[in-house]
Amino acid sequence: MQEIVLQDPNPWDREVDLLRKELDIDNKKAMYHVDRGMKGLNRGLGNGLAKINRYLYGTHRGRYYLIGADSGVGKTTLTDFMYVYNLFKACEELSIPLDILYFSFEISVIMKKGRWISMLYFLKYGETIPTDLVYGWTADPSRVMTADQYAKVKVISEEVERIFSKIRFVETSVTPYRMFDMMLHRAGAYGDLVKNASKASGPSAYVGYKNNTPDVVKVTVVDHLALADDMGKGLKASMDLASSLFVKARNLWDETVVVIQQFNTELQSASREHKHEMAYVPTRQDLGDSRYTYRDADVVLGLTKPVDYQLTKLREYTELSKWGKYFLQLHIMKNRYGGGTGDFVPLFNNPIAGVPEELPSQATGWNALLQDQYIAKAAELTKLSAY
């Protein structure tokens, strides 16, 4: 990791002026980004969800994405599908270098590999095969994979191992400072970090970055933020600190940060029970465990499950009790760079395969026949998950 140290005799100088005066850093100039845009180098990368892509313009370098939901709704499933698997796939198709650092505090890597086998199996063969069947985590000795399923899983597992070998996983809880330090050293592999000698050591000492490999997409995923080591400071202080460090990484070296945060249960509070559907649209207060994450993030997505609130109808989608846990709303709570803030995209989520599917709307062909088809899919998944 190479560092450029700036001697700053005047601590009141603006950092950006100091950088402009002593270094010629291209990525601090507007025309650098204009020219990259004209060459198509700033286009967003696919996330596997076409409607969401129209709002978010894909996944970008130097963005802070925050995914919020209650426990068990599908935060990790959505994150892995959009910001890990489909991002990996998009970068590979376009020959764009991708470097992912994944803080998987909630789910072990071996469990995650099993889930990914189920996901890729579904995407390749259109068949839902549970992770517990893949790993043999069953009580029924007769419930085992067929020879055909085993052969397919063996091939898919090789692909999963290939993808995972390119992702740096951290399973043990670490502090926000340690997370930043790992991002810092990873950034140093692709460029020169600029330090101000008059600053104290630590994150505040870094004031700039000379990007020597601008095509590399550097991504950090945190699942989930409340499980990071709080250093004895308490949950809120630790999460606030982590968010401020994510902002620094985003601003200095175009880190793409994807943070999962659990709602603070306000969505399921008694005061919201049996109200109109708008009462269950997530708000900033539902991410109240931190003062900073919602404020700092560029894009905030909130995931809700209407069946949890006894809602039976949502716009053109009816009989939601028959859809059960498979009907989700993906709310665009905040979006600094695109459109659609306040809108939501309905999803049919297959939690066994880990694959969310965007539903058509009334304007794009939704009808009673499709409704019945998705209700039938929900019934099949319920039966499959009952084993």
Side-chain angles (χ1 to χ4, degrees):
M1 181 172 68
Q2 184 174 344
E3 294 181 348
I4 300 169
V5 180
L6 301 178
Q7 301 298 328
D8 179 10
N10 182 356
W12 298 106
D13 278 350
R14 291 176 59 206
E15 290 172 358
V16 67
D17 290 337
L18 184 66
L19 290 172
R20 286 173 178 163
K21 183 168 56 179
E22 300 200 24
L23 286 173
D24 182 19
I25 297 180
D26 287 340
N27 64 355
K28 289 297 181 183
K29 298 176 180 177
M31 281 309 299
Y32 169 83
H33 296 280
V34 171
D35 289 340
R36 281 181 60 85
M38 290 297 290
K39 296 174 184 176
L41 298 176
N42 290 338
R43 290 197 187 104
L45 295 159
N47 58 30
L49 297 176
K51 292 180 183 177
I52 288 295
N53 257 339
R54 287 202 296 271
Y55 291 125
L56 306 184
Y57 308 149
T59 301
H60 287 263
R61 297 172 179 82
R63 299 281 168 89
Y64 179 169
Y65 298 91
L66 179 64
I67 317 292
D70 282 319
S71 179
V73 173
K75 303 181 296 296
T76 303
T77 295
L78 185 74
T79 299
D80 279 5
F81 184 80
M82 290 177 64
Y83 293 109
V84 186
Y85 173 69
N86 274 288
L87 179 59
F88 181 92
K89 182 180 172 185
C91 287
E92 195 162 64
E93 288 173 353
L94 296 169
S95 298
I96 295 173
L98 173 66
D99 193 324
I100 298 178
L101 176 61
Y102 198 132
F103 294 97
S104 187
F105 299 144
E106 186 169 46
I107 300 172
S108 69
V109 170
I110 191 62
M111 182 64 184
K112 192 173 286 292
K113 285 181 178 179
R115 291 186 177 187
W116 275 56
I117 289 172
S118 296
M119 176 176 67
L120 268 62
Y121 196 105
F122 180 84
L123 293 173
K124 186 174 178 64
Y125 300 112
E127 180 185 347
T128 299
I129 180 168
T131 299
D132 59 3
L133 182 60
V134 170
Y135 280 160
W137 292 338
T138 62
D140 184 354
S142 67
R143 189 170 178 248
V144 295
M145 289 188 291
T146 65
D148 179 61
Q149 287 174 327
Y150 175 81
K152 291 175 178 175
V153 163
K154 189 173 182 181
V155 172
I156 287 172
S157 68
E158 292 174 357
E159 175 65 4
V160 170
E161 294 290 354
R162 184 182 76 85
I163 295 173
F164 274 50
S165 70
K166 299 177 183 295
I167 302 172
R168 309 181 208 190
F169 282 96
V170 178
E171 297 177 84
T172 304
S173 179
V174 295
T175 68
Y177 284 123
R178 179 59 179 152
M179 283 192 277
F180 181 82
D181 189 54
M182 293 177 75
M183 288 187 283
L184 181 77
H185 279 81
R186 193 258 305 268
Y190 299 110
D192 301 325
L193 292 152
V194 183
K195 289 183 74 173
N196 189 337
S198 70
K199 299 279 184 178
S201 60
S204 63
Y206 294 93
V207 297
Y209 182 70
K210 188 173 184 180
N211 195 349
N212 299 325
T213 50
D215 290 338
V216 176
V217 179
K218 300 179 287 293
V219 180
T220 293
V221 180
V222 183
D223 181 19
H224 57 80
L225 188 55
L227 294 177
D229 186 340
D230 69 1
M231 306 178 296
K233 293 178 177 290
L235 178 62
K236 188 180 289 289
S238 175
M239 292 174 72
D240 289 350
L241 171 62
S243 189
S244 66
L245 295 175
F246 297 150
V247 168
K248 191 171 187 71
R250 176 197 67 190
N251 293 348
L252 285 186
W253 57 78
D254 285 339
E255 186 83 26
T256 297
V257 185
V258 184
V259 175
I260 297 175
Q261 182 177 341
Q262 193 160 303
F263 285 157
N264 57 11
T265 71
E266 287 300 314
L267 267 176
Q268 297 192 39
S269 67
S271 64
R272 276 168 140 168
E273 288 181 2
H274 309 299
K275 289 187 177 181
H276 186 267
E277 63 189 46
M278 290 303 294
Y280 304 104
V281 174
T283 67
R284 180 174 186 161
Q285 285 67 41
D286 295 305
L287 292 160
D289 284 338
S290 169
R291 295 175 297 168
Y292 293 169
T293 51
Y294 184 97
R295 181 201 69 182
D296 293 342
D298 301 303
V299 173
V300 182
L301 302 177
L303 200 60
T304 61
K305 188 164 44 175
V307 71
D308 285 345
Y309 320 124
Q310 293 79 49
L311 291 177
T312 59
K313 181 181 183 300
L314 188 66
R315 298 185 186 177
E316 60 263 45
Y317 310 99
T318 59
E319 300 185 85
L320 294 187
S321 59
K322 294 181 180 179
W323 291 71
K325 62 184 179 181
Y326 310 107
F327 183 92
L328 302 181
Q329 299 178 78
L330 182 58
H331 301 265
I332 303 172
M333 299 171 63
K334 179 181 177 182
N335 189 7
R336 280 181 178 153
Y337 295 100
T341 300
D343 287 347
F344 83 90
V345 175
L347 302 174
F348 182 85
N349 185 46
N350 182 336
I352 301 174
V355 177
E357 175 187 351
E358 291 173 316
L359 293 169
S361 66
Q362 209 159 43
T364 56
W366 183 253
N367 55 47
L369 178 61
L370 280 174
Q371 171 104 355
D372 291 341
Q373 290 175 357
Y374 280 101
I375 289 175
K377 283 185 183 181
E380 291 173 7
L381 289 173
T382 298
K383 184 178 178 180
L384 188 61
S385 62
Y387 282 101

